[in-house]
Amino acid sequence: MTSARRDQLIAAAARLLDEGGPEAVKLREVGNASGVSHNAPYKHFSSKESLLAALAARELSLVCDAA
């Protein structure tokens, strides 16, 4: 599994989160929103919580890099 695919899935999760809050972020929907198989997120994240944690870590890293 490539880190580019993982980043693509995290970006799709961010869009879904922005549009509909945490309830809108579902692993299958993240796969569909990123243009890959609806099962692809399960190869990178064990749960919705692990995906949201990866998203939070990415956002925190961006904030720290900007400071």
Side-chain angles (χ1 to χ4, degrees), residues 33-58:
S34 64
V36 298
S37 162
H38 64 271
N39 285 326
Y42 294 95
K43 296 178 181 173
H44 298 272
F45 305 100
S46 60
S47 65
K48 172 182 174 173
E49 290 76 20
S50 66
L51 171 57
L52 289 173
L55 173 56
R58 182 190 79 165

Side-chain angles (χ1 to χ4, degrees), residues 2-47:
T2 66
S3 64
R5 176 61 47 84
R6 188 174 191 277
D7 292 342
Q8 178 183 8
L9 294 167
I10 292 171
R15 288 190 304 274
L16 288 170
L17 184 64
D18 288 344
E19 294 169 2
E23 300 81 24
V25 181
K26 297 177 175 69
L27 290 175
R28 291 177 68 92
E29 288 301 317
V30 169
N32 291 332
S34 64
V36 298
S37 162
H38 64 271
N39 285 326
Y42 294 95
K43 296 178 181 173
H44 298 272
F45 305 100
S46 60
S47 65

